[in-house]
Amino acid sequence: MRVLSGIQPSGTLHIGNYFGMMKPMIGYMDQAELFVFIVNLHALTSLQDAETLRRNTLDAAADFLALGLDPERCIFWVQSDVPEVCELTWILHNFTSMGLLERSHSYKDKIARGLTPNHGLFAYPVLMAADILLYQSNIIPVGQDQKQHVEITRDIAQAFNHRMGETFVLPEPEINDDVAVVPGVDGQKMSKSYNNTIEIFTDREALRKRVMSVVTDATPVEAPKNPDTCSLFALYKLFASPEDVEAMRSRYLAPGLKYVDVKKALVELIWNHFEPHRDKRAELTRSPDTVRDILAYGAGKARAIARETLALVQERVGLNY
Ligand code: ADP
Ligand code: TRP
């Protein structure tokens, strides 16, 4: 079974990325043939600053490695190092209806937020389909926001298979329901694009400030509070033990809880959660060449598989003559 997922280096990785995608992927290491990659071509749709893209790409790779991704037990690479994906994207464009892309929630959301769309943003799901289909992937672990993109991939694969003969494996999205959407400090979905993130590897003071800025409602200290509508509680739940979550729930439901106390506890929990990985992360920052070597090794393995699929597709559509 092949499990594949990618992450955009469009900003610094945050705890939404961690729970929604990185942690489940790392957990798959010994259970599947695992494909993990940094999708820098996708990031170009929103990030057009060369130095930042380069830095974010290496940083995202270092984050994964520090958190325990072992390049010997998976294939770990940078998307643009396997250029076959661009050729497959072009081929797939011709099996993708305009309507399919016009219905993309993520595209519509971005426009609604005032982004002036370029064609890359519109075509984004086709590149993602090529990512998935090039490696004949079965399972795609992603956050809730990416589910539709995997469905679009299935539609494109079905259209291709139907017209050109069985070629692609149909992938299934896998959403971890416990952490389907990690809220950001403003209560919306945590996202690199909304400036509401809590970063995985940050210094303690920055972490404290960020957690202190989590929005809470104006319920007075003396009144009981609703844990189920509180972003702070949602974040607390991700890090605390089940017993501590239950204890905290009771404190919410009784009078006297101060949100600032929950925030202080949350800072400790987040800090301690990532503590075992901090030395390794610092070491990788000091040796970017190590990270580059690991990525080049992964790209070699990915490319061998990509070439096989692309050869089959070229044959199916008649690009080999
Ligand atoms: P961002 O919105 O920060 O740019 P990406 O779109 O690059 O994040 O997402 C990378 C992965 O992390 C995807 O699988 C996505 O579903 C997951 N993810 C991102 N934000 C969250 C979140 N707030 N909660 C859960 N999963 C998330
Ligand atoms: N679009 C995904 C996101 O923003 C990233 C991505 C690109 C991806 N290609 C992929 C995820 C292939 C899973 C599989 O999160």
Side-chain angles (χ1 to χ4, degrees):
M1 187 187 57
R2 287 190 176 162
V3 176
L4 170 143
S5 195
I7 201 154
Q8 293 193 60
S10 49
T12 306
L13 302 191
H14 54 75
I15 62 176
N17 297 139
Y18 175 72
F19 285 103
M21 187 272 198
M22 302 168 85
K23 185 169 178 242
M25 287 303 272
I26 292 168
Y28 260 122
M29 249 179 333
D30 294 316
Q31 296 167 35
E33 216 184 323
L34 183 65
F35 295 73
V36 185
F37 59 139
I38 316 284
V39 296
N40 57 347
L41 294 169
H42 277 110
L44 273 181
T45 59
S46 63
L47 171 62
Q48 287 146 7
D49 180 89
E51 210 33 66
T52 309
L53 183 58
R54 273 191 277 272
R55 193 185 55 241
N56 287 352
T57 303
L58 281 174
D59 280 350
D63 286 352
F64 263 108
L65 295 169
L67 289 169
L69 191 75
D70 175 354
E72 293 297 342
R73 284 144 76 207
C74 67
I75 302 186
F76 181 48
W77 79 104
V78 173
Q79 186 184 34
S80 65
D81 285 338
V82 181
E84 283 76 6
V85 76
C86 294
E87 183 171 342
L88 181 60
T89 301
W90 178 255
I91 296 170
L92 295 180
H93 275 307
N94 304 288
F95 295 83
T96 307
S97 71
M98 291 291 286
L100 191 61
L101 298 182
E102 279 159 0
R103 286 192 292 278
S104 159
H105 303 313
S106 139
Y107 177 72
K108 287 194 285 196
D109 284 355
K110 284 179 181 150
I111 292 183
R113 285 176 179 279
L115 220 121
T116 311
N118 54 39
H119 180 251
L121 190 70
F122 183 68
Y124 182 113
V126 188
L127 176 57
M128 180 157 162
D131 281 336
I132 294 172
L133 302 177
L134 192 55
Y135 303 99
Q136 303 284 21
S137 324
N138 308 97
I139 307 280
I140 317 297
V142 283
Q144 184 67 40
D145 59 317
Q146 294 296 318
K147 184 165 179 256
Q148 193 195 24
H149 283 155
V150 182
E151 288 160 359
I152 294 175
T153 302
R154 286 176 64 92
D155 286 345
I156 297 173
Q158 272 168 328
F160 188 98
N161 286 352
H162 181 69
R163 272 160 50 201
M164 312 312 285
E166 275 310 304
T167 307
F168 295 120
V169 167
L170 296 187
E172 299 279 350
E174 185 186 77
I175 317 288
N176 178 350
D177 284 328
D178 296 347
V179 292
V181 178
V182 176
V185 297
D186 57 358
Q188 299 186 69
K189 171 191 130 80
M190 186 177 290
S191 170
K192 291 176 223 110
S193 8
Y194 305 161
N195 190 24
N196 66 354
T197 66
I198 299 174
E199 296 177 1
I200 300 170
F201 292 110
T202 178
D203 64 66
R204 206 182 154 100
E205 184 48 22
L207 174 66
R208 194 191 65 80
K209 282 201 179 124
R210 215 54 183 149
V211 172
M212 288 299 155
S213 75
V214 173
V215 289
T216 46
D217 63 23
T219 316
V221 175
E222 331 55 86
K225 300 173 185 69
N226 184 352
D228 297 316
T229 54
C230 179
S231 310
L232 188 56
F233 187 75
L235 291 168
Y236 183 85
K237 257 195 336 204
L238 294 168
F239 292 93
S241 67
E243 303 80 62
D244 287 350
V245 172
E246 274 326 296
M248 185 60 86
R249 177 180 288 283
S250 310
R251 285 179 63 195
Y252 264 78
L253 299 175
L257 175 89
K258 291 189 189 135
Y259 285 130
V260 68
D261 292 335
V262 186
K263 290 181 177 179
K264 284 182 187 158
L266 182 59
V267 172
E268 286 308 307
L269 283 170
I270 299 178
W271 185 260
N272 293 338
H273 189 92
F274 296 113
E275 178 57 24
H277 307 286
R278 227 164 255 127
D279 283 350
K280 170 98 182 173
R281 182 66 182 76
E283 185 190 316
L284 291 167
T285 305
R286 286 190 297 271
S287 52
D289 280 343
T290 307
V291 179
R292 289 191 186 96
D293 288 348
I294 290 170
L295 292 169
Y297 169 69
K301 292 196 279 184
R303 210 162 177 195
I305 299 171
R307 284 190 169 141
E308 266 178 48
T309 311
L310 187 60
L312 174 65
V313 173
Q314 288 167 333
E315 161 77 30
R316 289 277 196 271
V317 298
L319 286 173
N320 62 335
Y321 56 91

